[in-house]
Amino acid sequence: MEAKPVILVVDDQTQNNDLLEAYLAPQGYEIIKAVSGEEALEKLAGNQIDLILLDVMMPGMDGFEVTRRIRQDKKNRLMPIILVTALQEMEDRIKGIKAGCDDYITKPFNKLELLARVQSLLKIKAYNDSMSNYRKQLESEVIDITEDLKQSNATLDEQNARLKAIINGPEDTMIFSLNREYRYTSFNENHRKAMKKLWQTDIHIGMSYPECITVPEQRTAAVTSMNRVLAGEHFIETQYQPTLGMWWELNWNPIRTK
């Protein structure tokens, strides 16, 4: 069940508060009453208020001062305030607007005018509340997304560190990648050194891998292996390199980039 809008009516004359309640309560509004500016601020602090009907001429703290104090509270800067007054002078109206009121009703007020002004300002407050809740929801989502990104970045950094450790690991670990034209797209330092020692070739990105192999039979065998990779095959082969005095285990693996 939807909660009733709560209206705080403030007047040092209790009969005026009772009259406002008699007009507003049958329209489905919950009424909280105060008879002074000080009590009004206390009631506002202790209750969820949707709109304030505030008399101007009160002993002690008048309606102008109450309005100013309400507007000093950040959470109540958009609280709808209607000043109820017998004052007719333009200066008094300007004073109320400067203090922060949203509207004026002049005593003796018309019931239909009162209800129309109250209903209008409550609609505005409902819209502002909706936008505020939407903004808070977006802020919460941004915080969640930011946290997810932080965690993802941390995981990616960890994976990159592991990959870097593998790439730049022991000298017997050589890693390189080729494109469809068999040209280098990446290689680690171990592979560069091995190619220099084996074929006396200083490799670089974009260089053709088969052209680095100076022994025709081994170049043909390498092209055959790479053609198998292009066909989507993943396999492991071994070969002995006399120049290096070691066996090579080649792990051929196709990599999809799109």
Side-chain angles (χ1 to χ4, degrees), residues 6-8 30-34 39-52 73 75-76 79 125:
V6 180
I7 298 176
L8 174 62
E30 180 180 342
I31 306 302
I32 296 177
K33 294 182 282 188
E39 185 182 6
L41 295 176
E42 291 176 3
K43 293 289 179 67
L44 179 60
N47 296 276
Q48 183 64 46
I49 305 298
D50 295 300
L51 181 142
I52 302 173
D73 186 345
K75 75 174 185 178
N76 290 320
M79 172 68 65
K125 183 179 186 298

Side-chain angles (χ1 to χ4, degrees), residues 64 83 87-97 104:
F64 297 132
L83 290 180
L87 299 174
Q88 299 286 343
E89 297 296 329
M90 181 61 67
E91 290 183 5
D92 294 313
R93 291 179 175 270
I94 293 174
K95 186 176 180 181
I97 292 171
Y104 259 103

